[in-house]
Amino acid sequence: MTFNPRSSRLLVDPYLLGAVAVGALVRLALMFHINTVPASDALDYFTLASNLADGVGYEEFGRPTAFWPVGYPALLGLVFEIIGNEVWVAKALNLVLALAAIPLLYLLGVVLYGRAVARPASWLLALLPSHVFFTNLLIPEALFTTLQLAVVLLVVAALRDGSRRSQAAPAGQGKALLGGFFLVPALGESEESLGLACAALIAGLAAWLARTQRNLLFWLAAGTLVGYGLLVRPAALALALAVLATLCVAARQQKVAIGAPAALFIVSAGLVIAPWIVRNWTDIGAGATLATNGGYNLMVGNNAGANGCATFPIGASRYNKENPNEVRADREAFGDAVSFMADNPDRAIALVPLRLGCLWRDDDTAAAKWHFRKQPDGLGKLERDLWGAVSNWYYLGLLGLAGLGIPAWFRRTPEHLLPVILVAVTTLVYLPFFGGDRFHQSLLPYVALWAAVGIATVPRWLRISRSRDLEGEGL
């Protein structure tokens, strides 16, 4: 990826500005039309963030917890501490995060395929119904989607190896500090000191690289954001694995060294999560890691009533956040899930395609369920059915358009393969647990990008324009 003067004009492309403006309008219209209140998972996130802002600590039920990943409540608590513990503040944060995904996808499209693809991709994401509806809910979908896009863009930039000539390279220096600062409000005094020390170490590495090997700043920033992503959702492990797999492909194809990039990527991610792991072992007990809900989630997907989606057996509550001994409950839930799979191997195997279906079949949960469940002013049945259908048909349309462009977007270059690998690895990571369209939300921007490739290839298929490769413009 080469940097040139045209790059300064990318962010003022009227097509992009229009997509962001329309995206903001439709999301604001939904927020004013449906005044959602924190419920279910959202209520836990809101409570934890409020506790952090009030100085109580990362606690629920009057005791320290690690059941819910800390990343989203920590960021939300930081914003609450500045502005106030209000639902509208959390929704405003979600709005900013959701809108940030649009220019990130646009930039990724420009780099990989050019503006002819980037422009429709930004509009497809701006109007994506599930992306719009999830913005109105106090759960980490908007944050995780945007965070993942930022990592992918950084890695693509690193793979293009143009950062040595970039005037914007020091910006990676700022991004490299995000994870540490988001985490600080959730830590105790000793762990807070460790968190600040880790953030300082990352900053020092960034400053040194800025003077020596600026191209490695991208890997440092990407690793730091992946570390924060692991705190938002441990399933970000799929993102880390996809990045490392893509780096291996690049090393094989382009004969580049992978030692320094891989080391910086892994070490920076480890520095971000280290203070939180130390806190959990200190406050929750030995055996606690990023979150104490892994065994619970495995049990939800592997029990006598499992159907591939989320199924909660009778008595499942004894394993969840209400159990005062989270580590023991998590281990017991894990043991029950493993016992079920060992005693029912045929059923365990049969559940795999069902989970795949639950993960990818529909895209209507945000509209048809989350905007109704425990909402005093939620959507009525007619509206739920209507918006659920719109969400599903829009989603199916994206998949169909993406299919049209497969020959153009399914390339063997590492940067083009990264989104493909990411979708595949994320799917594999979720298969042992349970499926749900909420879990594919962070992958839909890449589907929108491939759909835009499909749109751009239609004229060529119909021979109504000159044949032309979809090449990225570079940044």
Side-chain angles (χ1 to χ4, degrees), residues 74-106:
L75 174 59
L76 198 54
L78 187 63
V79 176
F80 281 173
E81 193 169 358
I82 298 170
I83 303 177
N85 305 6
E86 301 288 344
V87 173
W88 72 266
V89 173
K91 290 184 179 181
L93 174 63
N94 271 11
L95 178 63
V96 171
L97 292 168
L99 293 178
I102 299 172
L104 287 174
L105 182 64
Y106 173 88

Side-chain angles (χ1 to χ4, degrees), residues 153-363:
L153 186 59
L154 284 168
V155 172
V156 167
L159 292 171
R160 288 290 178 97
D161 197 30
S163 56
R164 288 180 185 271
R165 297 176 294 278
S166 171
Q167 299 302 314
Q173 209 170 322
K175 290 178 182 177
L177 293 171
L178 289 178
F181 286 132
F182 286 156
L183 181 59
V184 165
L187 300 175
E189 290 185 7
S190 59
E191 292 86 4
E192 181 177 326
S193 298
L194 177 59
L196 291 173
C198 289
L201 181 55
I202 293 173
L205 283 170
W208 176 68
L209 291 172
R211 294 192 304 269
T212 56
Q213 301 182 57
R214 291 193 177 190
N215 60 310
L216 293 178
L217 272 174
F218 284 114
W219 290 107
L220 180 70
T224 304
L225 291 182
V226 165
Y228 179 56
L230 288 166
L231 298 176
V232 174
R233 182 165 287 165
L237 175 64
L239 176 59
L241 293 175
V243 169
L244 293 173
T246 305
L247 182 56
C248 290
V249 172
R252 182 181 179 87
Q253 288 187 2
Q254 302 170 359
K255 308 299 182 184
V256 297
I258 66 172
L264 278 171
F265 180 79
I266 294 170
V267 168
S268 56
L271 287 172
V272 174
I273 66 174
W276 182 246
I277 292 178
V278 170
R279 176 266 183 190
N280 289 345
W281 275 63
T282 302
D283 294 355
I284 310 299
T289 52
L290 289 171
T292 56
N293 62 9
Y296 178 77
N297 287 330
L298 189 67
M299 180 271 298
V300 167
N302 294 275
N303 59 75
N307 60 7
C309 302
T311 50
F312 302 92
I314 297 175
S317 60
R318 71 181 184 275
Y319 300 120
N320 68 12
K321 59 185 183 294
E322 298 175 13
N323 192 307
N325 192 326
E326 293 184 9
V327 174
R328 184 175 64 189
D330 192 50
R331 288 173 174 172
E332 289 178 356
F334 181 84
D336 287 351
V338 171
S339 296
F340 170 80
M341 289 186 280
D343 295 340
N344 305 276
D346 294 344
R347 179 60 180 161
I349 294 172
L351 282 171
V352 172
L354 296 179
R355 294 188 193 113
L356 190 62
C358 291
L359 181 62
W360 287 106
R361 181 178 57 239
D362 301 317
D363 196 42

